[in-house]
Amino acid sequence: MAEMKRLRESLHRTQEQVVQELTELAARLFAERRIGKRPTFSVRQYAKWEGERPPWPHPDARRVLSAYWQRPIEELGFSPRTVGASGPPPALMPVPLVTQSPDAAPFLGRDVSSPVDDQAPPPWLAQTTTVAAGSADWRIGQAEVDLLREAADDVDAMDQQFGGNRLWRPTRAHLYWVHHMIDRGVYDDALSRQLHAVAGKFTTSLGWFCYDAGLQEQARQYFSEALNAAVLTGDDVLASRTLSNMARQAVDLNKGREAVRFARLAQVHADEWQSPARVTALLAIREAQGYARIGDAFNCETAIRRAWSQWELGGNERDPDWTGFLNLAELLCLEGMCRLDLGQTAHAQKLLAKSEALQDVAHSRNRGMCLGRLSIAALSNGDVDQSIAATTDALRLIEGGMSSTRTIGQLKTVHDNLIPHQRSSGVGDLLEQIRAHVA
């Protein structure tokens, strides 16, 4: 039995009743500016969706269906047009939460009243209630939106320089303000789209900063919220970026298969906006990292080759800012990380050493990650001297203000691996320095 039919029958609803409720929900979401167009629903159309091979709905209809059933659209039995029988397995997308109304279907919405603290995302992300009439005294202008967009760019740039440990709190405050503007301000449709885009950008950045700071559960929740925003607004660019971030996090959580699914679904969204080659290169290397983590050398090699072939096509004026970090040094580093996970330590050391030599000061967090991996690879190859040199340089970056829990975590691994070599020249002092920073 098709999933949507099973769900409907479990609620003892007729197709006519569900269609009526979908129509009412679509009107609500359209009035709240959460969908661009108000889709129409018919019993005949809904009957096709309950079939064994349901047709892929229009983007706005997908958002309404996901919100109504509170399930990812893929979990309702739908498959994107670009994914064929041999395509990637579906990665289930989070779905938008909408305000509960007295007569709404049981799946819609939930009450969120948790306090704002460092342990969980603030409640405005889990459920945003749009005020029907804002204050006429607070009219939002283009200058304010531009300022917020520039602030989002600034925190991303600071992340590259210093890491996310000191950025997630101020970014969360920025995001609160954006949502407050969305809910209380007065603005036209064009500014509405821009505000929601800025909110999505802050949200996925916040997820990344939490991930870099070691707050993995919070990061997953923010990534989920960013995907919600992408689904609601039809923003395939935001979906591609967020899924790329989720793939990187999944590797660190030792969920390689999940990383592959996220990277491949990100490419599905990238195809929707005909993304440039640099995006495909990034998503391919994310996929390779997932395969490397599960020890699938064949598919990892294939993805690495695809990443390099796309990267070598060069930059494009359409490249989004979130791919700007993917220079030659970074792609070498990411491949080196794949080789290290596959146990190809000699190859990994060579790639990571080359990457470190090419890293620039504007990417000190990425350089710190590269140095940490290089130190581990060198130790695995018995090259204690290069491990000491790489670790010393990583410590200098931390002393210079770079704050990344991920980098510090790597130094802990280096510390443990150096203990058997503590009688070697310089190792004892280095162990003390590591303990001073990572204790």
Side-chain angles (χ1 to χ4, degrees):
M1 180 185 297
E3 181 63 14
M4 284 179 56
K5 183 177 181 181
R6 186 191 68 78
L7 290 170
R8 176 178 60 80
E9 291 183 350
S10 70
L11 295 175
H12 306 291
R13 275 178 162 75
T14 66
Q15 289 182 341
E16 289 79 4
Q17 288 174 316
V18 172
V19 167
Q20 179 62 33
E21 289 163 353
L22 286 170
T23 301
E24 293 171 357
L25 176 58
R28 289 173 55 202
L29 294 178
F30 180 73
E32 294 174 353
R33 300 174 180 172
R34 298 189 179 195
I35 55 178
K37 296 181 180 179
R38 180 175 172 178
T40 59
F41 298 91
S42 68
V43 175
R44 180 179 179 182
Q45 176 190 51
Y46 193 83
K48 292 181 180 179
W49 287 338
E50 286 193 348
E52 292 300 323
R53 300 184 66 182
W56 186 242
H58 182 275
D60 288 317
R62 296 201 301 267
R63 294 164 207 140
V64 176
L65 286 167
S66 291
Y68 180 82
W69 291 114
Q70 281 298 284
R71 280 164 167 72
I73 192 70
E74 294 89 350
E75 201 173 84
L76 295 174
F78 296 102
S79 295
R81 293 186 304 272
T82 53
V83 179
S86 61
L92 301 183
M93 294 180 62
V95 297
L97 301 177
V98 297
T99 308
Q100 180 75 40
S101 66
D103 301 321
F107 286 100
L108 298 182
R110 58 175 177 159
D111 179 47
V112 180
S113 57
S114 58
V116 178
D117 57 34
D118 289 354
Q119 301 303 314
W124 70 81
L125 283 180
Q127 178 171 321
T128 301
T129 304
T130 302
V131 177
S135 169
D137 295 331
W138 192 23
R139 184 165 297 278
I140 307 301
Q142 184 65 55
E144 292 170 281
V145 178
D146 289 342
L147 188 63
L148 286 167
R149 186 181 296 110
E150 290 167 4
D153 291 339
D154 285 345
V155 292
D156 286 341
M158 285 187 283
D159 168 60
Q160 294 293 331
Q161 181 66 41
F162 299 110
N165 286 23
R166 300 174 184 172
L167 291 174
W168 68 270
R169 289 183 180 88
T171 302
R172 189 173 67 171
H174 275 96
L175 183 59
Y176 174 81
W177 184 246
V178 176
H179 277 284
H180 188 63
M181 292 172 70
I182 290 172
D183 289 346
R184 303 285 179 173
V186 178
Y187 42 83
D188 58 24
D189 289 342
L191 286 178
S192 172
R193 289 190 292 272
Q194 292 183 53
L195 280 168
H196 281 90
V198 171
K201 185 171 185 175
F202 270 123
T203 305
T204 198
S205 293
L206 181 52
W208 180 264
F209 301 157
C210 287
Y211 154 64
D212 196 47
L215 305 172
Q216 302 303 336
E217 184 58 33
Q218 291 92 319
R220 287 173 72 91
Q221 290 172 317
Y222 283 120
F223 288 148
S224 177
E225 291 293 345
L227 275 180
N228 286 345
V231 170
L232 280 170
T233 61
D235 191 340
D236 288 302
V237 179
L238 175 61
S240 300
R241 179 189 179 187
T242 302
L243 285 160
S244 172
N245 289 344
M246 294 172 72
R248 176 59 254 177
Q249 183 196 29
V251 171
D252 279 2
L253 295 178
N254 206 29
K255 298 177 181 291
R257 294 182 187 277
E258 187 175 272
V260 171
R261 294 170 63 208
F262 286 149
R264 298 182 75 179
L265 184 59
Q267 186 59 58
V268 171
H269 284 280
D271 290 342
E272 290 289 327
W273 57 282
Q274 299 178 330
S275 66
R278 282 295 160 87
V279 173
T280 302
L282 174 60
L283 300 180
I285 200 65
R286 293 291 191 231
E287 184 179 336
Q289 289 179 298
Y291 281 125
R293 185 50 60 102
I294 61 177
D296 187 340
F298 177 82
N299 281 310
C300 180
E301 292 281 357
T302 301
I304 288 172
R305 286 196 298 271
R306 187 166 71 253
W308 277 108
S309 66
Q310 290 294 308
W311 188 87
E312 288 168 356
L313 293 175
N316 186 291
E317 61 182 11
R318 295 179 57 241
D319 289 343
D321 55 2
W322 44 272
T323 62
F325 77 98
L326 192 64
N327 54 23
L328 176 59
E330 185 62 16
L331 191 52
L332 285 167
C333 179
L334 294 175
E335 182 184 349
M337 291 163 65
C338 290
R339 303 294 180 186
L340 190 57
D341 280 349
L342 288 172
Q344 301 171 4
T345 53
H347 196 175
Q349 183 180 355
K350 181 179 179 180
L351 289 169
L352 292 166
K354 185 176 180 180
S355 170
E356 193 280 324
L358 293 172
Q359 293 280 356
D360 58 62
V361 295
H363 297 82
S364 65
R365 192 274 314 281
N366 289 352
R367 182 170 178 242
M369 292 295 298
C370 181
L371 286 165
R373 300 282 180 164
L374 174 58
S375 181
I376 293 169
L379 272 179
S380 298
N381 291 322
D383 190 343
V384 178
D385 289 341
Q386 183 162 46
S387 180
I388 292 173
T391 304
T392 301
D393 286 343
L395 287 169
R396 288 197 188 101
L397 291 176
I398 293 174
E399 291 168 354
M402 189 269 290
S403 61
S404 168
T405 298
R406 289 191 294 150
T407 301
I408 292 172
Q410 286 188 115
L411 289 180
K412 291 179 180 178
T413 302
V414 171
H415 175 277
D416 294 341
N417 290 342
L418 276 172
I419 289 177
H421 305 278
Q422 57 187 328
R423 294 185 180 276
S424 299
S425 176
V427 172
D429 290 340
L430 186 60
L431 289 173
E432 288 295 330
Q433 292 178 52
I434 296 174
R435 284 192 286 267
H437 287 284
V438 305

